[in-house]
Amino acid sequence: MFAVIGHTSSFLYNLLTALLKWIFGLFGTNPEFLESARFKDSVEYFFTDAIVIFLMLIIIIFIVSILRSFFPPERTKKLLGEQGKARGFIGNIVAALLGIVTPFCSCSAVPVFIGFIEAGIPLGVTFSFLISSPMVNEVALVMLWGLFGWKIAVLYITTGVIIAIVAGFIIGKLKMERYLEDDVFSIRMGDAELVKPTWKQRISDAWSYDLNLLKKIWPYVVIGLAIGAAIHGWAPGDWLAKYAGKGNPFAVPIAVIIGIPLYSNAAGTLPIVSELTKLGVPMGTALSFMMAVTALSLPEMIILRKVLKPKLLAVFIGIMAVTIVFIGYFFNIILV
């Protein structure tokens, strides 16, 4: 399998090089970088990782989509709020686990949040779900597995769920419902009827979802891989190791601060994370950057501001930042 991928990557490199030489030849030039070892390494790195990642995305997203068909948003809302079963610490655990298999992104933050609050789901439980969904999902699982192996993937998913549980539990204990915007309680989302699909429908919907998701995320994957390939070939590894490596005790919080204002997702961030670790940046530092980008992106905070008053939003950001920093240091210690 890997031999075939390697041969395919080499073939694509030769094809791309020939095409670029032909294009530059039209202008009477022949850039030296096309013959350099760095260019070859970068291009083959790009194609190899692209083939592996897209194959895994197609297969695993389809499987996860089948599982996800058993947990539509309406059922999730009922599971979390039904008869008060979601209250207390158990509710945070259930919400974080459901977040793994339930679609959620920043664009759907407001309606999902309002729907959960309307259903009487406790604020802390709601936050556990909102944290888990964007940070711990099938795309992150697939790409982590493909780039770092199953152990790192499982460890990341586990710590991501723990962050969602702990952060939601703390917010729940702080009793900050009064810091929700007043409009939240005046909006009625309504209840959709639950329809049990057939297996044929599940498979058809899963395949459709798979293709639609790939259409949405492929630019992020390509951009992330391109940046990772550029870092692979030309980034000053010594500089990165010096300022973001093990010798800098503040590397983790700096990575989180840099990640917060950025907007991307696992698909766009993980290829960069992968290459940073190869250049000497500790795994915990690199993954803290990724967690900050996926769970604390500025666009998501702007959307959540529509339903959260500044104090509650600030508490949410603070708790998330602290827990992500802690997880970063934890990763750096255990993955030495």
Side-chain angles (χ1 to χ4, degrees):
M1 177 66 175
F2 289 103
V4 173
I5 292 174
H7 289 309
T8 304
S9 178
S10 297
F11 169 77
L12 292 173
Y13 159 74
N14 292 328
L15 186 64
L16 176 63
T17 303
L19 177 62
L20 290 175
K21 286 182 177 180
W22 178 76
I23 293 174
F24 282 112
L26 296 176
F27 299 94
T29 60
N30 185 24
E32 294 182 0
F33 77 86
L34 293 176
E35 305 292 340
S36 69
R38 286 185 173 183
F39 177 74
K40 181 179 180 180
D41 288 344
S42 295
V43 173
E44 289 190 346
Y45 165 89
F46 173 87
F47 284 126
T48 299
D49 277 16
I51 293 170
V52 172
I53 288 172
F54 277 108
L55 283 175
M56 294 188 70
L57 282 171
I58 292 171
I59 296 170
I60 298 182
I61 290 177
F62 177 77
I63 296 173
V64 173
S65 298
I66 295 292
L67 298 175
R68 177 175 283 175
S69 68
F70 293 94
F71 297 96
E74 295 82 7
R75 175 166 292 174
T76 300
K77 186 169 73 171
K78 289 187 176 182
L79 285 173
L80 292 180
E82 185 180 30
Q83 298 176 357
K85 291 180 181 179
R87 300 183 183 281
F89 188 67
I90 299 300
N92 295 106
I93 296 175
V94 173
L97 293 176
L98 286 173
I100 298 176
V101 295
T102 306
F104 175 79
C105 61
S106 57
C107 63
S108 60
V110 173
V112 171
F113 188 95
I114 292 174
F116 283 5
I117 295 298
E118 177 207 344
I121 299 172
L123 183 63
V125 174
T126 300
F127 271 111
S128 287
F129 180 85
L130 299 188
I131 295 166
S132 175
S133 289
M135 187 164 62
V136 186
N137 55 56
E138 74 278 12
V139 175
L141 175 62
V142 171
M143 297 188 69
L144 278 165
W145 197 330
L147 295 172
F148 299 111
W150 69 269
K151 291 183 180 179
I152 297 297
V154 171
L155 187 58
Y156 174 83
I157 297 298
T158 302
T159 52
V161 170
I162 291 174
I163 288 177
I165 293 171
V166 172
F169 181 75
I170 293 174
I171 290 174
K173 286 297 182 182
L174 291 176
K175 304 294 184 182
M176 302 191 73
E177 284 78 4
R178 64 184 182 279
Y179 295 109
L180 292 170
E181 291 290 354
D182 297 334
D183 292 342
V184 172
F185 301 100
S186 62
I187 301 175
R188 300 291 299 178
M189 300 301 295
D191 292 317
E193 182 181 354
L194 287 175
V195 178
K196 185 177 180 180
T198 64
W199 270 102
K200 183 178 180 179
Q201 291 174 319
R202 294 185 195 277
I203 293 173
S204 176
D205 291 344
W207 182 242
S208 177
Y209 175 80
D210 199 338
L211 294 179
N212 289 332
L213 181 59
L214 286 174
K215 288 179 183 178
K216 290 179 181 179
I217 69 173
W218 76 262
Y220 295 101
V221 177
V222 171
I223 292 171
L225 285 169
I227 295 174
I231 294 173
H232 178 81
W234 283 278
D238 293 340
W239 184 88
L240 287 170
K242 179 180 178 181
Y243 292 101
K246 299 177 182 178
N248 184 359
F250 301 105
V252 173
I254 290 174
V256 173
I257 292 172
I258 293 173
I260 289 176
L262 302 179
Y263 175 71
S264 186
N265 51 30
T269 310
L270 267 171
I272 303 172
V273 169
S274 174
E275 196 52 41
L276 290 176
T277 58
K278 293 177 183 177
L279 294 173
V281 177
M283 180 68 72
T285 304
L287 289 180
S288 290
F289 168 77
M290 173 189 160
M291 287 181 174
V293 172
T294 56
L296 284 175
S297 68
L298 184 58
E300 184 175 345
M301 297 305 104
I302 293 174
I303 293 173
L304 285 176
R305 173 61 187 90
K306 296 179 180 179
V307 293
L308 307 181
K309 292 181 179 179
K311 187 170 184 177
L312 177 53
L313 185 62
V315 169
F316 170 65
I317 293 173
I319 292 174
M320 286 295 296
V322 170
T323 52
I324 290 174
V325 168
F326 175 80
I327 292 297
Y329 283 120
F330 174 73
F331 266 82
N332 285 344
I333 292 173
I334 67 172
L335 297 176
V336 176

